[in-house]
Amino acid sequence: MTRFQPKSTAPVPERAILVGVDFGKSEWPLEQSMAELERLTHTDDAEVVAKVTQRLEKPVPRTFIGSGKAQELVRMVHELDADVVIFDDELTPSQQGNLERIFGEPTKVIDRTALILDIFGKHAKTHEGRLQVQLAQLQYVLPRLRGMWSHLVGEQTRGGIGSRFGQGESQLEVDRRLIRDRISWLRRELGELEKRRGVQSKARWDSGVYRVALVGYTNAGKSTLLNLLTNADVYAKDELFATLDPTTRSLVLDEGRKVTLTDTVGFIQKLPTTLVESFNSTLAEAKAADLILKVTDAADPNRDKELRAVDEVLKQIGASDINSVVVYNKCDLLGEAELTRLQAANQDAICISSLESMGIRGLLYRIAQEASKNDVMMSALIPYGKGFLQKLVHESSQIIREQYLPEGFLITAKVPPRIADALKPYQTEE
């Protein structure tokens, strides 16, 4: 008999109860929204032990749900030994505090926003990504501080000596000031990073290289597509928000033109506004693109709603007017009849499968078409001393003919307008 019994060191998943309310106004049916909340919960390594729903005309000001439903939840929390109760909609700070008092310690009460922020905190890898997550988390926590300090603030209500300088209120103000200072610092730091990103983006603009951004609902397969097209090594996994940090890679099309592809953070319905604001510098990659590929999961029954959610976020960041193409990914999961119907209903869209390399040549041809749509056919004699111009033409244009002459490099090509302006001083009549 061994003296010591070995114990598992594997983390024990938290037990979660999910709560959703149907107000009869959302485009998404409650069961679909709850199913997405369950996927988010699993992504955050928690176990769903129960789901509770209620139909209301509007949220109850004090507890969001009705008092009877709240008491039912209290019984479920104790019977199922739940660690956390997760609401599908955003709670006000007072509602969250009231619910935590009703459930009692150590049960936590969080909402969809807090859950998404926690997932982002786990998945952020780069310095910029961590700063953006921290900013969003602090903006979420700031108005909720009073509830967190309620056990100390309550001391003031008893009156007596020292009540005017309550420990809770003093600490509350200190914490608020510290968080505001931290938020200001994070915004300055992210502003500097955004300036640097802007310089890099301007350099790509000046180079004439066509820029393509991959946007879409989370888990639509954007990272897998980027890996396939550019041989990148971007982390790709079948989970929500697997990739947070933007990745840019170059791709040379068949015609010889070089383009850049950028993978961006995935979107989701009810994406917190603070999160969109915090990730502004990352989403700026989509705003700076010449073409946006809206990647969506063709096999998802909610694909049209997900596309509308993507359009809503693009509108929020001021990128809704950029030229875009819908790309239906995972089409290998559709039956032949369903695929035919999808193609007939969306003739301008591209159907592909990143996993099976299906339809990729068609996608690349469409990117080449879009990239050359505004090209100008011209000939120019570039002096040998202007080697950088020759390099730009090779990287950003479709070469028709080239010849080395004693006076310089004679080229005929379809060039983007930006490059055409740079070549005008050397344009020839040929």
Side-chain angles (χ1 to χ4, degrees), residues 204-211 290 416-423:
R204 287 200 293 270
W205 172 271
D206 292 341
S207 72
V209 174
Y210 194 77
R211 296 163 299 176
D290 299 297
R418 296 192 294 273
I419 302 301
D421 290 339
L423 289 177

Side-chain angles (χ1 to χ4, degrees), residues 93-94 96-98 100-101 105 141-158 165-179:
S94 61
Q96 187 174 357
N98 290 335
E100 284 182 337
R101 280 191 288 275
E105 293 186 1
V141 164
L142 184 58
R144 290 166 170 77
L145 276 182
R146 176 169 289 275
M148 296 174 183
W149 279 102
S150 58
H151 62 294
L152 292 175
V153 175
E155 292 178 6
Q156 297 171 83
T157 60
R158 295 198 293 268
F165 306 98
Q167 178 187 2
E169 190 64 25
S170 300
Q171 187 62 54
L172 182 65
E173 289 307 316
V174 168
D175 284 359
R176 278 178 175 160
R177 186 167 63 252
L178 288 171
I179 287 180

Side-chain angles (χ1 to χ4, degrees), residues 312-418:
E312 183 58 36
V313 177
L314 290 175
K315 184 179 177 182
Q316 285 182 50
I317 65 173
S320 55
D321 294 333
I322 296 172
N323 187 29
S324 64
V325 173
V326 173
V327 179
Y328 287 110
N329 193 18
K330 306 184 185 181
C331 288
D332 57 306
L333 301 178
L334 299 180
E336 191 173 333
E338 190 178 0
L339 181 58
T340 302
R341 283 195 299 271
L342 180 64
Q343 290 171 324
N346 305 273
Q347 295 182 12
D348 194 52
I350 306 292
C351 292
I352 69 163
S353 168
S354 301
L355 207 58
E356 300 295 331
S357 300
M358 164 186 148
I360 299 303
R361 288 192 65 81
L363 174 60
L364 291 173
Y365 178 73
R366 182 61 179 276
I367 293 173
Q369 271 189 321
E370 297 294 333
S372 61
K373 189 158 44 177
N374 298 315
D375 281 2
V376 179
M377 180 72 78
M378 69 183 300
S379 295
L381 181 62
I382 304 172
Y384 288 121
K386 301 289 183 180
F388 71 95
L389 266 181
Q390 182 182 342
K391 181 174 181 290
L392 284 181
V393 172
H394 270 119
E395 288 185 345
S396 62
S397 311
Q398 182 180 353
I399 308 298
I400 306 300
R401 187 175 59 167
E402 55 186 341
Q403 186 179 2
Y404 288 91
L405 301 176
E407 311 89 64
F409 176 67
L410 179 63
I411 189 167
T412 301
K414 289 178 67 177
V415 299
R418 296 192 294 273

Side-chain angles (χ1 to χ4, degrees), residues 16 60 69-71 95 117 169 203 211 224 241 256 264-265 272 277 279 282 301 329 333 335 341 355 365 391 418:
V60 176
K69 187 62 72 173
Q71 291 306 317
Q95 287 168 343
L117 288 174
E169 190 64 25
R211 296 163 299 176
T224 305
F241 300 117
T264 60
V265 61
E277 292 170 356
F279 274 73
T282 297
N329 193 18
L333 301 178
R341 283 195 299 271
L355 207 58
Y365 178 73
K391 181 174 181 290
R418 296 192 294 273

Side-chain angles (χ1 to χ4, degrees), residues 87-219:
F87 281 73
D88 192 37
D89 294 278
E90 189 163 342
L91 301 172
T92 65
S94 61
Q95 287 168 343
Q96 187 174 357
N98 290 335
L99 287 164
E100 284 182 337
R101 280 191 288 275
I102 291 171
F103 295 139
E105 293 186 1
T107 308
K108 294 178 291 187
V109 177
I110 65 172
D111 54 23
R112 174 186 275 252
T113 299
L115 179 62
I116 292 173
L117 288 174
D118 196 53
I119 294 170
F120 271 45
K122 286 183 177 180
H123 289 186
K125 297 292 187 294
T126 65
H127 175 60
E128 183 177 16
R130 291 192 184 102
L131 291 180
Q132 289 173 131
V133 171
Q134 192 178 145
L135 175 60
Q137 288 173 335
L138 289 177
Q139 287 175 320
Y140 177 82
V141 164
L142 184 58
R144 290 166 170 77
L145 276 182
R146 176 169 289 275
M148 296 174 183
W149 279 102
S150 58
H151 62 294
L152 292 175
V153 175
E155 292 178 6
Q156 297 171 83
T157 60
R158 295 198 293 268
I161 297 173
S163 62
R164 288 186 296 274
F165 306 98
Q167 178 187 2
E169 190 64 25
S170 300
Q171 187 62 54
L172 182 65
E173 289 307 316
V174 168
D175 284 359
R176 278 178 175 160
R177 186 167 63 252
L178 288 171
I179 287 180
R180 288 193 188 104
D181 290 345
R182 182 66 179 172
I183 287 174
S184 297
W185 181 86
L186 286 167
R187 282 179 172 155
R188 284 195 302 272
E189 190 72 9
L190 286 168
E192 289 299 315
L193 291 172
E194 192 167 0
K195 283 180 188 175
R196 287 179 221 164
R197 192 185 293 278
V199 170
Q200 294 170 350
S201 182
K202 184 178 184 304
R204 287 200 293 270
W205 172 271
D206 292 341
S207 72
V209 174
Y210 194 77
R211 296 163 299 176
V212 181
L214 303 175
V215 305
Y217 214 73
T218 182
N219 205 41

